[in-house]
Amino acid sequence: MIKETFVPLIMVTNDDGILSHGIQQLAAALMSLGDVVVVAPDRERSAVGHAMTLNHPVRADQISAGRFAVDGTPTDCVNLGIHGLLSRKPDLVVSGINRGSNLADDITYSGTVAAAMEAMLMQVPAVAVSLDVSHLCVDVDYSHACSYAQRVSRQILLHGLPADTFLNLNIPVGIPRGLKITRQGKRIYDNKIELKQDPRGRDYYWLGGNQLGFNRQQDCDCGAIADGFASLTPLHLDLTNYHSMKQLSSWECDV
Ligand code: MN
């Protein structure tokens, strides 16, 4: 009798859109680990964070076998994939490979990271993968990021993840010196807002300040990337600042 071997079902998504090179190469790299289904936004949806579409319908077009383009956010994609499009609950969700790192404070803006978080909320193990490359770079080499994404994914499939935990993997440009387990760091932004004028003479603003650097804390994600290492941070959704609970309990807010 032939013993049936278990083939993991892996769902791939991103926030750069289904046509981005990062997701195409990631999906190809993960095919050695199991069946891969891509459910991703039909256009770039970077920096939408954990947004979910509630006030208009969301459509999913199957553009080829195992590939669905969704006119929604990364969080919509994870919901649609897990609850509608996939034949069963996936064993792993991999989000990326994002063009640009998602480190420190950036992760709360990131659609790439939010997609992995959404999967975690549905009890599906998940990892977000980002490459520390400039948005202006035209010829991006995803090969090392693919190989780390594949290795980390394999470990998740083998060992699972702790409860309420998902992973944030960032890869430096060039050949990584290795991988470090890190904590979420702290960016320094200039918070500058550009005021410009459009061709019709009306003012407009351009948001998104420059990153001036980061606070070098021990074991932080920014430090690992700056030193040429891949960075793997275990994240959870609990944003509570436990140290502050005691301080707030002395406030006289009761009537
Ligand atoms: Mn992106």
Side-chain angles (χ1 to χ4, degrees):
M1 197 176 96
I2 299 167
K3 198 178 170 190
E4 272 190 54
T5 46
F6 173 70
V7 179
L9 178 59
I10 302 168
M11 185 183 135
V12 172
T13 190
N14 74 348
D15 76 1
D16 289 346
I18 198 161
L19 297 177
S20 70
H21 292 293
I23 197 169
Q24 290 174 17
Q25 295 190 32
L26 175 66
L30 294 176
M31 279 176 189
S32 64
L33 300 179
D35 291 335
V36 175
V37 178
V38 176
V39 183
D42 59 1
R43 70 202 82 167
E44 178 167 358
R45 302 301 298 263
S46 291
V48 297
H50 201 192
M52 188 186 237
T53 303
L54 294 178
N55 294 317
H56 63 79
V58 178
R59 297 180 201 281
D61 284 332
Q62 182 159 10
I63 53 177
S64 60
R67 287 177 77 224
F68 297 88
V70 175
D71 66 342
T73 67
T75 293
D76 294 336
C77 292
V78 172
N79 270 279
L80 268 182
I82 292 177
H83 294 308
L85 301 172
L86 271 63
S87 56
R88 65 174 178 87
K89 197 171 182 179
D91 302 293
L92 173 67
V93 167
V94 187
S95 179
I97 295 168
N98 191 61
R99 190 183 160 116
S101 62
N102 279 303
L103 301 163
D105 316 69
D106 299 346
I107 64 176
T108 57
Y109 301 107
S110 167
T112 309
V113 173
M117 183 163 72
E118 184 70 4
M120 186 249 333
L121 289 171
M122 295 174 180
Q123 280 84 47
V124 177
V127 55
V129 188
S130 307
L131 178 62
D132 184 35
V133 65
S134 154
H135 285 260
L136 298 173
C137 184
V138 282
D139 198 13
V140 181
D141 176 10
Y142 287 99
S143 60
H144 299 291
C146 280
S147 119
Y148 272 93
Q150 190 189 51
R151 273 179 275 169
V152 169
S153 297
R154 187 164 179 276
Q155 294 303 309
I156 297 173
L157 290 169
L158 280 172
H159 305 295
L161 285 173
D164 302 324
T165 304
F166 64 106
L167 301 182
N168 186 30
L169 174 64
N170 280 271
I171 315 294
V173 281
I175 302 170
R177 295 168 64 194
L179 181 135
K180 288 196 167 173
I181 307 301
T182 55
R183 51 171 287 189
Q184 185 185 348
K186 183 81 195 141
R187 284 265 202 221
I188 304 164
Y189 293 97
D190 65 3
N191 292 323
K192 210 166 96 181
I193 289 175
E194 298 264 358
L195 170 61
K196 304 255 183 188
Q197 275 200 335
D198 72 17
R200 293 177 185 163
R202 288 182 62 199
D203 288 347
Y204 70 87
Y205 300 91
W206 199 266
L207 303 177
N210 292 315
Q211 293 160 2
L212 298 178
F214 62 93
N215 290 332
R216 198 172 256 279
Q217 298 159 318
Q218 192 170 6
D219 299 328
C220 80
D221 51 6
C222 298
I225 291 296
D227 293 343
F229 287 89
S231 160
L232 186 63
T233 312
L235 295 175
H236 62 164
L237 182 51
D238 186 353
L239 301 177
T240 312
N241 186 336
Y242 289 95
H243 302 298
S244 303
M245 287 176 73
K246 198 174 174 198
Q247 187 187 336
L248 266 61
S249 67
S250 68
W251 286 16
E252 293 169 2
C253 299
D254 287 329
V255 271

